[in-house]
């Protein structure tokens, strides 16, 4: 478990892990309840000084995805979604300077029309339902006035770790610096069904950020649980003349229906010997499974896929109930992190043993 690996927990008792990458000899882990970023030795030693929380913990970061860009050595952290049509603002990162003010200002000026993608797919589903005679009734209720729709945008924070100096030599990740915060222009209709995972690919010198929608059709509610309709939003970064920045949507990629999940919790890409072709994995928290395939970054298409379930316990019951981050270790191994078990009887007792932990899996 995460808490057992830390010598200094910074007075924290909950570690709601939501994303993981491996850089060099360390795993870096984010938590949606903390602003600190975890660093763990690759052998996962217990109670070791190799393992630490970097940065001030704060509360409720909303961090949901983590990627690393090796050329710049920048880590990109994705905050799932933030409201843009209310007085609410992005939570303040205690490890920042004044950058958050710029983000909040940009959020307040983003256009507020819904995504064409969600609107179009919802209309198609509605047409099918209206064409079904079983759905018709002789007494339709009078339409009720609807409240003004509120939309949500993800925020992408770029961070760089800062080392402390001992006798003029940099020796460790002591803290991190928030270099820039950019809003993603893709709009969500639900605050807790935004980007849940992310990837970063470079094609012909162009850097793309790929955001994995948690809900099917990138939606919340019943429409978001329409299994087998996973979506990945492909974005490029644009720096604006006023000094702010936006991740602009270029396309929406449909994950094949072989990944028949009611939710999508994380994804990872790994280079192959073929240029611009990657090994791909996407996970589901609710299904407790992964879907493996290949991904061609030139055509934005997937190859044939394989569905694998995480190991069940001795009674053949789900035990990996809260996988929220996943990363390729090599061609045959995956590392994952798990969130805290849901309280209040929302999950069975079997989910407790594997929560708030790092896990390594060998593919069959």
């Amino acid at each position: 478990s995460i808490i057992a690996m830390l010598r200094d927990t910074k007075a924290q008792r909950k570690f709601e892990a939501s994303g993981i990458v491996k850089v060099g000899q360390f795993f870096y882990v984010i938590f949606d309840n903390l602003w600190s970023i975890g660093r763990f030795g690759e052998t996962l030693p217990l109670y070791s000084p190799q393992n630490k929380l970097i940065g001030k913990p704060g509360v409720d970061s909303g961090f949901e995805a983590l990627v690393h860009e090796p050329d710049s050595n920048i880590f990109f952290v994705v905050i799932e979604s933030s409201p843009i049509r209310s007085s609410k603002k992005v939570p303040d990162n205690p490890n920042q300077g004044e950058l958050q003010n710029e983000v909040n200002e940009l959020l307040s000026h983003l256009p507020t029309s819904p995504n064409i993608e969600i609107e179009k797919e919802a209309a198609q589903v509605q047409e099918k339902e209206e064409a079904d005679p079983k759905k018709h009734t002789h007494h339709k209720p009078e339409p009720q006035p609807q409240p003004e729709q509120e939309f949500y945008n993800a925020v992408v924070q770029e961070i760089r770790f800062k080392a402390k100096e001992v006798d003029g030599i940099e020796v460790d990740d002591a803290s991190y610096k928030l270099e820039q915060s950019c809003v993603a222009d893709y709009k969500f209709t639900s605050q807790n069904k935004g980007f849940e995972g992310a990837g970063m690919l470079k094609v012909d010198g162009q850097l793309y950020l790929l955001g994995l929608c948690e809900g099917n059709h990138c939606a919340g509610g019943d429409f978001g649980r329409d299994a087998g309709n996973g979506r990945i939003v492909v974005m490029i970064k644009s720096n604006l003349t006023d000094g702010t920045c936006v991740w602009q949507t270029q396309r929406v990629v449909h994950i094949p229906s072989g990944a028949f999940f009611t939710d999508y919790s994380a994804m990872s890409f790994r280079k192959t010997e073929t240029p611009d072709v990657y090994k791909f994995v996407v996970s589901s928290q609710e299904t407790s499974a992964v879907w493996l395939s290949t991904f061609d970054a030139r055509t934005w298409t997937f190859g044939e896929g394989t569905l694998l379930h995480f190991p069940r316990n001795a009674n053949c019951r789900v035990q990996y109930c809260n996988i929220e981050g996943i990363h390729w270790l090599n061609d045959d191994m995956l590392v994952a992190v798990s969130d805290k078990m849901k309280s209040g009887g929302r999950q069975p007792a079997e989910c407790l043993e594997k929560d708030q932990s790092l896990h390594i899996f060998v593919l069959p």
Side-chain angles (χ1 to χ4, degrees):
S1 69
I2 290 169
I3 196 168
M5 290 190 288
L6 291 168
R7 186 165 292 188
D8 179 8
T9 65
K10 296 191 175 182
Q12 304 303 308
R13 292 294 178 267
K14 292 194 300 182
F15 297 93
E16 299 173 9
S18 54
I20 182 170
V21 295
K22 185 174 185 288
V23 179
Q25 297 180 330
F26 293 102
F27 295 109
Y28 292 86
V29 177
I30 55 170
F31 312 94
D32 61 19
N33 68 311
L34 301 175
W35 292 92
S36 295
I37 296 175
R39 191 202 68 182
F40 302 92
E42 63 181 350
T43 60
L44 303 181
L46 296 178
Y47 197 63
S48 167
Q50 289 187 51
N51 309 325
K52 64 187 300 184
L53 295 177
I54 303 171
K56 300 174 183 176
V59 293
D60 297 335
S61 65
F63 287 168
E64 287 293 351
L66 175 67
V67 292
H68 176 253
E69 203 290 297
D71 293 340
S72 63
N73 199 27
I74 293 286
F75 290 78
F76 293 78
V77 185
V78 180
I79 297 175
E80 181 175 15
S81 59
S82 296
I84 66 172
R85 299 198 64 185
S86 73
S87 59
K88 301 174 186 175
K89 300 297 182 184
V90 181
D92 289 334
N93 186 332
N95 303 283
Q96 71 192 354
E98 298 300 320
L99 284 175
Q100 204 66 41
N101 293 331
E102 297 179 6
V103 177
N104 289 334
E105 180 67 17
L106 183 56
L107 279 168
S108 66
H109 288 93
L110 282 177
T112 55
S113 59
N115 290 302
I116 295 175
E117 181 81 11
I118 293 178
E119 208 172 45
K120 187 186 298 182
E121 292 187 14
Q124 291 172 350
V125 171
Q126 184 176 356
E127 287 176 6
K128 290 180 181 178
E129 290 182 346
E130 289 177 350
D132 185 350
K134 296 179 181 179
K135 300 285 184 180
H136 289 290
T137 118
H138 293 293
H139 303 286
K140 292 186 177 180
E142 290 294 323
Q144 299 297 315
Q146 298 297 315
E148 186 177 8
Q149 178 68 62
E150 185 170 51
F151 299 102
Y152 305 87
N153 292 73
V155 176
V156 182
Q157 298 197 332
E158 301 175 23
I159 68 170
R160 188 187 300 275
F161 291 106
K162 298 191 298 183
K164 66 181 179 182
E165 291 191 359
V166 177
D167 296 328
I169 300 175
E170 295 184 349
V171 295
D172 200 4
D173 296 323
S175 61
Y176 70 81
K177 179 184 178 182
L178 180 58
E179 299 273 355
Q180 195 171 28
S181 285
C182 307
V183 176
D185 69 358
Y186 196 90
K187 296 173 186 61
F188 297 96
T189 56
S190 176
Q191 187 170 13
N192 64 347
K193 293 296 179 183
F195 290 140
E196 192 76 359
M200 185 160 277
L201 305 178
K202 185 174 284 188
V203 183
D204 293 333
Q206 175 64 60
L207 195 65
Y208 293 92
L209 178 67
L210 286 71
L212 173 69
C213 296
E214 179 177 3
N216 287 276
H217 307 283
C218 287
D222 290 341
F223 191 44
R225 297 182 63 81
D226 181 24
N229 290 284
R231 300 289 185 264
I232 296 173
V233 179
V234 180
M235 300 164 281
I236 62 173
K237 182 181 175 183
S238 294
N239 292 302
L240 307 182
T241 56
D242 62 358
T244 58
C245 50
V246 176
W247 283 95
Q248 295 183 324
T249 301
Q250 303 300 296
R251 64 176 67 234
V252 177
V253 177
H254 292 212
I255 300 174
S257 59
F260 198 74
F261 300 150
T262 53
D263 79 319
Y264 301 83
S265 63
M267 66 179 178
S268 180
F269 298 84
R270 177 175 172 80
K271 288 183 177 180
T272 68
E273 294 181 355
T274 305
D276 299 316
V277 175
Y278 296 81
K279 293 175 72 71
F280 173 80
V281 60
V282 63
S283 62
S284 169
Q285 181 178 168
E286 292 193 24
T287 313
S288 188
V290 294
W291 186 76
L292 307 170
S293 184
T294 56
F295 183 76
D296 190 325
R298 288 193 175 273
T299 60
W300 306 102
T301 56
F302 293 93
E304 295 293 324
T306 301
L307 181 68
L308 297 174
H309 291 276
F310 287 111
R312 283 6 185 189
N313 66 13
N315 296 318
C316 205
R317 291 175 63 87
V318 170
Q319 57 181 335
Y320 293 93
C321 310
N322 300 99
I323 297 296
E324 285 220 358
I326 202 156
H327 181 75
W328 287 101
L329 277 181
N330 55 43
D331 287 345
D332 303 306
M333 299 177 70
L334 297 168
V335 61
V337 290
S338 53
D339 195 356
K340 185 177 182 294
M341 172 186 168
K342 293 179 175 62
S343 60
R346 290 177 293 167
Q347 287 187 319
E350 288 89 349
C351 298
L352 179 60
E353 182 180 355
K354 305 295 185 182
D355 83 339
Q356 302 178 88
S357 301
L358 276 75
H359 317 275
I360 293 178
F361 302 97
V362 178
L363 298 177

